[in-house]
Amino acid sequence: MHNDIHNYLTKYRDQHLNELTEWLSIPSVSSLSEHKEDTLRGAEWIADSLKKIGMENIKLHPTKGHPVVYADWIHAENKPTVLIYGHYDVQPVDPLHLWETAPFEPTIRDNKIFARGATDDKGQFFMHLKAIEALMNIHGELPVNVKFLIEGEEEIGSVNLPAFVEENQELLASDVILISDTGMQEKGRPAICYGLRGLAGVQIDVKGAKGDLHSGLYGGGVQNALHALVQLLESFRDDNGVIQVKRFYDKVEALSDEEKAAYNALNFSEDGLKEELTVEELVGEEGYTYIERTWVRPTLEINGMWGGFQGEGIKTVLPNEAHAKITCRLVPNQDPDEIVELLTKHVNAHTPPGVTVTVTPFDKGAPYVTPYSHPAIQAAGRSYEKVYGVPTQFIRGGGSIPIVATFDQILQKPIVLMGFGLPGENFHAPNEHFHLENFDQGLRVIANYLSELPQTFSK
């Protein structure tokens, strides 16, 4: 079977990359209203592709936002059922001027494909379509039953998917949930992510005087909204990177000695990361390594801030408005709603005089951790090893996939986070790209895993 899959994927590689290029060309930016029709087009493209590879019961389920795409193939009698999740929406492309090539005009160079969504998550999810296509065309059937669930709102917090999952538990019933929306620690070293941080995001809006004021007439006597915002933001962390929001750390568990030893055994190179990122120092919460800070410690980050005059030259005004977007990455036991409440209380307690401040909640998602000893996860590790030829690492991820915790809470099935991205692939940033080496090997890993699963589950 391995040779048949390899030969098929090699034969049709150019065709598959052409199809991926077509999909990456669709600007399905879920957060921007001007791309609403493009996002729908992304859903329709996926539905059409599912039909072409032999899937059945294909439907675009409407939500209050962007539709959910469902499809299945349920003909493998007495074999396990795999629910494959992905998302067809992508992040905005700003700042556009930092892209070397247009974000929705996919370009291949240095054996990497550059485009928004190349690794997060269009490129990674696309591999599942092609792996299943290969199995179907070679054998005329699949070794397992499959169900697809593809949403268009992951990049805005999966706001409507939890309700869909709650209402469609029978439709989504499965034995294992398979997701490719994470990454590996380094090139050539496959990794399975067994934990993700959660997310809580807010926007802070500062309002001062009734309008912008002349800085010569009013400067020094009326509050400047930008200065007030800076003062407020400065209050969130101390000089050692410790978050100053009261009770923020109350439910955070200390790292066990076993976890520390496991992370140290990965031999992660902080110097190598500094070189890759072209920074002189790595910074963060004092007393923790980079791995610990980004996997198992919570964060509070300013993602954007704006206000005042942005044009060429100088405009001597006191801005009457200033704004910032903040997100916190959360670890197990931290509740997103509670964290938003704590952030709001902190803002209210630290609002400078002369302004009013509004806090608006945005993205939320619970953290997730699962035992990586589960047979379905261990089987995934073996599939990686067969293709990559090296042992699989079991890691945690610093990012968030909001729906993962929902799957865990509602569907209560093992979740296999089979990722193929690399840390330097600029997801959520300009020049996002996906290494085609991992595209090629990932296709073979997925096909092998689906073929091996019947031996893992007994029904």
Side-chain angles (χ1 to χ4, degrees):
M1 190 282 294
H2 179 76
N3 288 335
D4 290 341
I5 290 291
H6 176 79
N7 293 337
Y8 180 93
L9 294 173
T10 301
K11 179 179 179 180
Y12 290 102
R13 183 179 191 264
D14 289 343
Q15 178 181 320
H16 293 164
L17 289 178
N18 288 337
E19 292 173 12
L20 177 57
T21 296
E22 180 181 323
W23 192 26
L24 291 172
S25 300
I26 301 173
S28 49
V29 183
S30 56
S31 63
L32 300 178
S33 58
E34 60 261 37
H35 287 296
K36 182 177 180 180
E37 293 302 317
D38 294 319
T39 306
L40 175 60
R41 193 152 55 94
E44 293 171 340
W45 193 95
I46 274 295
D48 184 59
S49 297
L50 289 164
K51 182 178 180 181
K52 288 178 180 177
I53 66 171
M55 296 300 101
E56 302 168 346
N57 300 312
I58 302 165
K59 183 177 179 180
L60 270 65
H61 292 264
T63 71
K64 293 179 181 178
H66 302 295
V68 171
V69 183
Y70 175 85
D72 62 32
W73 187 90
I74 312 294
H75 299 290
E77 189 175 354
N78 297 322
K79 298 294 177 63
T81 298
V82 182
L83 175 63
I84 301 172
Y85 164 85
H87 62 92
Y88 61 84
D89 66 321
V90 299
Q91 281 275 328
V93 300
D94 311 82
L96 184 60
H97 71 278
L98 293 180
W99 286 80
E100 294 181 19
T101 52
F104 295 111
E105 295 178 12
T107 303
I108 295 177
R109 56 183 186 271
D110 300 327
N111 203 34
K112 307 168 190 173
I113 186 165
F114 288 78
R116 174 57 89 227
T119 187
D120 182 20
D121 172 49
K122 287 182 175 180
Q124 294 203 59
F125 175 76
F126 180 79
M127 292 191 295
H128 290 274
L129 299 180
K130 298 299 105 177
I132 285 175
E133 174 192 283
L135 291 168
M136 285 285 280
N137 286 343
I138 291 170
H139 304 293
E141 60 181 4
L142 297 177
V144 293
N145 301 294
V146 297
K147 296 179 178 181
F148 282 95
L149 176 66
I150 314 103
E151 68 160 321
E153 298 181 333
E154 195 274 345
E155 300 294 5
I156 53 174
S158 300
V159 287
N160 292 299
L161 194 56
F164 179 86
V165 174
E166 184 72 49
E167 295 165 6
N168 292 276
Q169 295 183 51
E170 184 175 348
L171 178 70
L172 302 176
S174 62
D175 297 288
V176 62
I177 301 168
L178 181 59
I179 301 174
S180 293
D181 195 13
T182 52
M184 307 186 299
Q185 279 299 103
E186 57 184 301
K187 189 175 182 179
R189 293 296 305 271
I192 292 178
C193 180
Y194 67 94
L196 293 167
R197 291 192 291 189
L199 183 67
V202 300
Q203 179 168 316
I204 298 174
D205 298 299
V206 178
K207 181 72 168 62
K210 63 180 181 180
D212 288 353
L213 302 176
H214 190 294
S215 66
L217 298 177
Y218 297 95
V222 178
Q223 181 66 275
N224 181 320
L226 278 171
H227 282 296
L229 177 64
V230 170
Q231 182 179 336
L232 180 57
L233 297 177
E234 181 68 15
S235 73
F236 278 117
R237 300 196 306 198
D238 68 12
D239 292 341
N240 296 318
V242 179
I243 297 165
Q244 299 298 293
V245 176
K246 287 185 178 179
R247 297 179 49 223
F248 186 87
Y249 293 105
D250 279 5
K251 297 181 180 179
V252 178
E253 294 183 356
L255 274 173
S256 68
D257 292 339
E258 181 183 7
E259 285 177 304
K260 282 181 174 288
Y263 299 156
N264 290 335
L266 295 174
N267 295 317
F268 178 79
S269 173
E270 295 194 2
D271 288 336
L273 179 63
K274 287 188 286 188
E275 182 178 350
E276 177 187 338
L277 299 179
T278 65
V279 297
E280 294 184 0
E281 296 293 339
L282 300 176
V283 300
E285 187 180 2
E286 190 174 43
Y288 297 92
T289 66
Y290 175 82
I291 288 288
E292 292 166 353
R293 291 169 181 166
T294 56
W295 286 5
V296 296
R297 296 297 295 172
T299 67
L300 187 154
E301 298 287 352
I302 303 168
N303 306 122
M305 52 193 300
W306 66 99
F309 179 64
Q310 305 293 319
E312 185 177 356
I314 294 176
K315 185 179 182 182
T316 53
V317 296
L318 303 182
N320 74 314
E321 291 186 4
H323 313 271
K325 293 182 185 290
I326 289 175
T327 52
C328 298
R329 299 291 176 171
L330 311 179
V331 296
N333 300 322
Q334 286 187 301
D335 176 72
D337 291 318
E338 182 180 6
I339 294 300
V340 168
E341 182 180 347
L342 295 178
L343 291 174
T344 303
K345 289 180 178 179
H346 180 92
V347 168
N348 291 337
H350 291 79
T351 295
V355 294
T356 58
V357 179
T358 302
V359 178
T360 304
F362 279 102
D363 295 359
K364 294 179 184 177
Y368 165 80
V369 175
T370 189
Y372 57 78
S373 59
H374 191 284
I377 294 177
Q378 290 297 314
R382 292 193 296 272
S383 293
Y384 271 119
E385 292 176 14
K386 288 180 182 178
V387 175
Y388 281 85
V390 296
T392 301
Q393 296 178 333
F394 293 91
I395 65 174
R396 286 211 208 178
S400 306
I401 306 176
I403 199 59
V404 168
T406 299
F407 286 151
D408 182 47
Q409 294 161 5
I410 298 176
L411 301 181
Q412 298 182 0
K413 295 297 180 181
I415 301 171
V416 178
L417 297 172
M418 182 179 274
F420 300 95
L422 289 174
E425 290 181 333
N426 291 356
F427 32 91
H428 291 207
N431 302 310
E432 179 180 352
H433 57 278
F434 189 28
H435 284 68
L436 294 182
E437 172 188 333
N438 287 330
F439 175 81
D440 295 329
Q441 293 179 299
L443 285 163
R444 291 156 176 79
V445 171
I446 293 168
N448 182 276
Y449 181 58
L450 295 176
S451 300
E452 294 294 328
L453 267 181
Q455 303 171 31
T456 303
F457 288 88
S458 58
K459 298 192 68 175

